[in-house]
Amino acid sequence: MEALLPVLSLLLVLLAVGWGDGAGTAWAVSPGGCEHVQSTADCRRKWLSSVPRNLQGDIEELLLNDNTIRVLGRASLLSYHQLKHLSLTKNRMELIEPGAFLGCQGLHVLSLADNLLFTNYSLTATALSALPALRTLDLAGNQLTEYMVSVLLSNLSSLESLSVARNIIMRLDSSVFTNLTQLLELNLERNYIFEIDQAFEGLQRLQRLNIAYNYMTCIVDFNLTQLRVLNVSYNIIEWFLALESDDLFELEVLDLSHNQLLFFPVLPRQSKLHSLLLKDNEMSFYQLLPNGTSLENVTVQFLLIDGNSTNITTVKLWDEVYYSNLSSLRLLDMSQNQFWYLPEGFLAKMPALTHLKLNQNCLETFQRVPLAMLTDLDLSQNLLTELWEDAGAGPALPNLQLFNLSTNMLRALPAGIFTHTKQITTVDLSYNRLDLCPQAAVLGRSAPCVDIRGLATLTRLSLAGCGLRDLGGHPFRGTALTHLDLSDNREALSGDLGWLRDLAATLQVLSLRNTNLSSTSVDFSALQSLVGLDLSGNTLTALPASLGALKLRSLDLRDNSLTALPADVAWRPLGRSLQELYLSRNPYNCCTLGWWEALQRVEHLRVPDGREVTCNYDSQRLSAWVLPEPVLRDCRWRTANMALLYLVLALPTCLTLLVAFTVVFLMLKPKLLKMVKRRCGVSSPY
């Protein structure tokens, strides 16, 4: 024991003074368990009830999250004069005593989120007032009301970033954020705010405002011209009306998603708006109604009552979009609404648009609009029966890269729709009744089809649920597809499979889910580039032999009729390369699970549905993950019995053959001896 004392002393010295790593970073562990990395002391999750006083005096960042510090006393931080960043998140702190920050006047960032500061907010406010250089303050999750917030912020004019999210604020007025003239960012999400009355008028430098997850019903006379980002998603807003003014608004991002908007928002006439998010509302345009009625001269009057004054704002139901300058808009998301048409000239106002999302609406048609910059167009889950008619009038979408038309009622696309799309990479046509060219002529007429041949840039194509019957004629020739989805086409594999050879050099991911695939209908051996294959929902009774030599990384075999996999699957190239394998919902035999045990021993293989893999034992369905010992014992006995049965069946046959051979030999023996004597000239012994 005495021989170990010098070694232990040396270790204590090293822990006390720290040592350098390869990059020269100082690291040490203090007696309180805190870790030091350069000028940061990390004391998170150490069950501390007070601030350690034995830390290095020159630390600039102190992390005390997830401890049990209930009171920050006057002397808690006196030793840390260089402190610039202090985090006390999740401590159930109730009080910061006045004078607690007198020793660290240079503190820039203070996080007090998820505590109980509502209990002694007035004393805590006095303590905060001694931080003249504070730039960032987080008071989220402290059960604060708007009055408590106003008291806590009363002397913090230096603040640039403030979070009071997850509190119980209900109403904001001009008294809450008084004197915060330097504030750039304000987070108010997840409160109970239902009314805002001139609360931001004095925040002349405010650029980012987050009021998501509250209870706002409308925003009227929006006039924050300096604001760049406004997030009011997840409220119950029905109207958004910007102030009628020709002033230039700095607004760049407006998020009104997940509200109850009835009309397209009335936006500022002049702004720098590049992202407008309107997803999941109840909007429509009302110039035309589905029954053909025109509302061209109909207006709506907004009655705004503020105290004793009343304002009336008149807006034409469809003209709200024409007041706005949308020339800088690049992203427009109007998905999950009730649009059944777009007004004429609506998209023409957005020449810089690159991403347009109109999925999950009621659109019946989509007119041809030359959007030269558009790269991403999502029209999925609508009621489209046709697109524009005149595809030959020049390039409509020359820079389109992603085109999603899935889940509509399209039976054809405009002829030559992809002729001028020289950058298209991804097309989703799934769940439409479409055929691929070429198609055989019917009564002298060519059947309507989609021609993708020669699209050299196309790499991802989804044709799931299109009712494809025969892919003969090499429909993919000239493409470089890496991802192809043919799921839910029960007759797609019934004809010529030459298309597989056309894609052999490039295809990496193939989905043949629910295509009526049998174990021998497709030869996959040519697809040497394939890394992902989905064969779920078919009638496979055995693993296709052509898969054994492939180096797949992902394979889905769910919902088939497999009773077992090959016993040596884990040692084949397939087993050695697989990283993800789905196996559930197959009728495996519990007594032939040697392959399953071998796969479980493969280190790099992950079976996400492994707990759901079951097997059949007599009339029972058991989990293959851990079979009961009686079942294993019975399976071993059955295997032994089968071997004995084969032996019993083979033994009589062997004995019968032996007896027959002996009888024949004895019957033919004299004749054989005479023949030998005659041939060899040897005298007979008898």
Side-chain angles (χ1 to χ4, degrees):
M1 185 66 183
E2 294 179 357
L4 292 176
L5 289 176
V7 177
L8 292 173
S9 301
L10 178 60
L11 287 175
L12 289 174
V13 171
L14 289 173
L15 289 174
V17 302
W19 58 87
D21 60 11
T25 301
W27 182 92
V29 178
S30 69
C34 300
E35 298 176 358
H36 292 267
V37 180
Q38 293 184 341
S39 59
T40 298
D42 188 348
C43 303
R44 291 174 294 183
R45 293 178 290 276
K46 303 299 182 184
W47 294 96
L48 299 174
S49 58
S50 61
V51 178
R53 299 186 181 183
N54 52 3
L55 303 177
Q56 296 176 6
D58 59 348
I59 59 171
E60 297 181 2
E61 183 176 20
L62 177 55
L63 306 178
L64 290 163
N65 305 349
D66 296 287
N67 282 291
T68 57
I69 303 172
R70 302 178 71 89
V71 176
L72 191 66
R74 292 183 179 86
S76 297
L77 301 171
L78 283 178
S79 303
Y80 310 121
H81 302 287
Q82 306 298 320
L83 201 61
K84 295 181 180 178
H85 185 157
L86 175 61
S87 181
L88 288 158
T89 300
K90 295 182 181 178
N91 272 276
R92 301 189 64 80
M93 182 177 295
E94 300 177 357
L95 170 64
I96 300 178
E97 294 182 353
F101 297 116
L102 291 178
C104 45
Q105 296 284 295
L107 194 67
H108 290 167
V109 179
L110 176 59
S111 178
L112 300 171
D114 298 305
N115 284 290
L116 301 171
L117 295 182
F118 73 97
T119 53
N120 293 285
Y121 67 91
S122 57
L123 290 175
T124 298
T126 304
L128 293 177
S129 65
L131 293 171
L134 192 63
R135 301 286 184 267
T136 301
L137 176 61
D138 189 351
L139 295 172
N142 275 283
Q143 303 180 43
L144 301 172
T145 66
E146 55 269 28
Y147 175 73
M148 296 176 186
V149 170
S150 66
V151 173
L152 287 166
L153 302 177
S154 57
N155 292 292
L156 296 176
S157 59
S158 62
L159 275 184
E160 296 179 354
S161 178
L162 171 65
S163 175
V164 285
R166 296 183 288 108
N167 282 290
I168 52 175
I169 301 170
M170 302 180 69
R171 186 182 181 278
L172 294 175
D173 58 30
S174 57
S175 65
V176 179
F177 303 116
T178 304
N179 299 325
L180 298 186
T181 55
Q182 304 300 312
L183 198 64
L184 300 174
E185 182 175 6
L186 176 58
N187 186 355
L188 292 160
E189 70 177 3
R190 297 184 186 278
N191 278 279
Y192 300 88
I193 301 171
F194 65 89
E195 182 180 2
I196 298 177
D197 182 13
Q198 298 182 340
F200 311 123
E201 300 301 316
L203 309 181
Q204 297 300 317
R205 298 190 62 195
L206 188 63
Q207 296 182 3
R208 303 176 66 88
L209 176 59
N210 185 355
I211 322 178
Y213 295 96
N214 278 283
Y215 294 89
M216 299 289 299
T217 59
C218 64
I219 295 180
V220 180
D221 286 340
F222 172 72
N223 62 350
L224 301 179
T225 57
Q226 82 286 359
L227 203 64
R228 295 181 182 273
V229 178
L230 174 60
N231 183 359
V232 284
S233 60
Y234 291 97
N235 279 267
I236 52 174
I237 296 173
E238 297 181 354
W239 317 94
F240 182 93
L241 305 175
L243 184 68
E244 291 189 25
S245 169
D246 291 326
D247 293 340
L248 176 62
F249 283 68
E250 298 293 329
L251 192 63
E252 297 176 354
V253 178
L254 174 57
D255 190 349
L256 287 164
S257 58
H258 307 286
N259 278 285
Q260 298 177 15
L261 287 172
L262 300 172
F263 302 95
F264 194 87
V266 179
L267 300 171
R269 293 178 180 176
Q270 301 294 331
S271 72
K272 299 178 180 180
L273 193 65
H274 62 68
S275 297
L276 178 57
L277 308 176
L278 303 171
K279 178 180 180 179
D280 187 21
N281 280 280
E282 300 174 14
M283 292 187 299
S284 185
F285 291 114
Y286 301 92
Q287 183 179 5
L288 297 174
L289 296 181
N291 61 7
T293 306
S294 174
L295 300 178
E296 185 175 355
N297 297 314
V298 176
T299 59
V300 168
Q301 290 186 328
F302 296 96
L303 182 63
L304 310 176
I305 302 176
D306 184 9
N308 294 324
S309 63
T310 300
N311 268 336
I312 298 178
T313 301
T314 303
V315 178
K316 286 190 175 182
L317 285 180
W318 71 97
D319 271 357
E320 61 267 25
V321 299
Y322 293 104
Y323 293 127
S324 309
N325 181 1
L326 301 175
S327 59
S328 59
L329 197 63
R330 298 197 295 270
L331 168 61
L332 175 59
D333 186 351
M334 300 199 305
S335 58
Q336 298 182 37
N337 278 280
Q338 299 177 14
F339 296 109
W340 67 277
Y341 84 102
L342 300 180
E344 185 176 355
F346 173 65
L347 294 178
K349 295 171 60 67
M350 311 170 194
L353 199 64
T354 59
H355 294 72
L356 175 59
K357 297 183 180 298
L358 289 165
N359 51 296
Q360 295 180 294
N361 278 283
C362 309
L363 294 173
E364 297 176 357
T365 185
F366 185 78
Q367 298 300 321
R368 181 181 182 278
V369 180
L371 294 171
M373 303 299 293
L374 195 67
T375 61
D376 187 340
L377 176 57
D378 190 347
L379 295 171
S380 62
Q381 300 183 59
N382 277 282
L383 303 175
L384 292 173
T385 57
E386 64 176 359
L387 297 181
W388 57 88
E389 298 178 359
D390 54 337
L397 305 169
N399 289 303
L400 194 64
Q401 298 176 16
L402 188 150
F403 197 11
N404 190 348
L405 287 167
S406 65
T407 319
N408 279 284
M409 297 187 293
L410 295 166
R411 302 193 68 88
L413 295 183
I417 186 173
F418 298 117
T419 302
H420 302 287
T421 54
K422 301 301 182 182
Q423 300 185 44
I424 192 80
T425 62
T426 304
V427 175
D428 190 344
L429 300 173
S430 56
Y431 302 101
N432 288 282
R433 303 302 293 182
L434 296 169
D435 287 315
L436 294 181
C437 298
Q439 289 290 313
V442 179
L443 299 177
R445 287 187 174 184
S446 297
C449 57
V450 179
D451 194 353
I452 62 169
R453 292 170 296 179
L455 278 181
T457 59
L458 187 63
T459 58
R460 295 171 179 261
L461 176 63
S462 179
L463 295 166
C466 286
L468 301 174
R469 295 187 177 182
D470 186 1
L471 295 178
H474 303 281
F476 306 118
R477 180 168 289 174
T479 67
L481 287 178
T482 59
H483 293 67
L484 176 61
D485 187 355
L486 295 174
S487 303
D488 298 321
N489 289 286
R490 301 286 294 174
E491 300 180 37
L493 305 178
S494 59
D496 180 20
L497 298 180
W499 57 271
L500 273 176
R501 292 187 293 274
D502 295 336
L503 300 175
T506 60
L507 195 61
Q508 298 176 14
V509 178
L510 174 63
S511 178
L512 297 176
R513 184 184 71 253
N514 192 28
T515 54
N516 202 27
L517 178 71
S518 65
S519 299
T520 59
S521 58
V522 178
D523 182 4
F524 296 99
S525 57
L527 302 177
Q528 293 299 312
S529 299
L530 205 63
V531 295
L533 180 60
D534 184 354
L535 300 178
S536 61
N538 286 290
T539 56
L540 296 175
T541 56
L543 188 70
S546 56
L547 292 180
L550 298 184
K551 297 181 179 179
L552 298 177
R553 291 200 291 266
S554 176
L555 177 61
D556 193 340
L557 295 171
R558 287 174 290 187
D559 292 299
N560 276 282
S561 302
L562 296 167
T563 56
L565 295 187
D568 61 346
V569 65
W571 295 277
R572 292 184 181 185
L574 175 64
R576 292 196 298 267
S577 64
L578 272 178
Q579 299 176 10
E580 187 175 68
L581 177 62
Y582 292 90
L583 293 167
S584 60
R585 298 191 291 275
N586 278 285
Y588 301 116
N589 187 339
C590 288
C591 291
T592 58
L593 288 178
W595 59 270
W596 170 241
E597 296 172 1
L599 287 176
Q600 287 180 294
R601 290 193 293 268
V602 178
E603 293 183 2
H604 57 78
L605 180 61
R606 188 172 68 93
V607 184
D609 61 341
R611 298 284 180 178
E612 303 170 27
V613 176
T614 59
C615 60
N616 294 334
Y617 173 75
D618 292 337
S619 59
Q620 304 177 58
R621 178 174 293 179
L622 305 175
S623 172
W625 194 260
V626 181
L627 287 177
E629 184 58 33
V631 174
L632 294 174
R633 188 165 51 249
D634 188 54
C635 283
R636 287 193 292 268
W637 177 246
R638 290 186 184 187
T639 304
N641 284 348
M642 289 300 294
L644 183 59
L645 177 62
Y646 292 146
L647 180 60
V648 170
L649 291 175
L651 189 58
T653 305
C654 294
L655 289 174
T656 303
L657 291 174
L658 181 61
V659 170
F661 176 77
T662 304
V663 171
V664 171
F665 178 76
L666 292 175
M667 291 176 63
L668 296 178
K669 182 179 179 183
K671 296 181 180 180
L672 288 173
L673 290 175
K674 289 180 180 180
M675 184 176 12
V676 171
K677 178 181 178 182
R678 204 168 41 245
R679 293 275 182 94
C680 301
V682 179
S683 59
S684 173
Y686 56 87

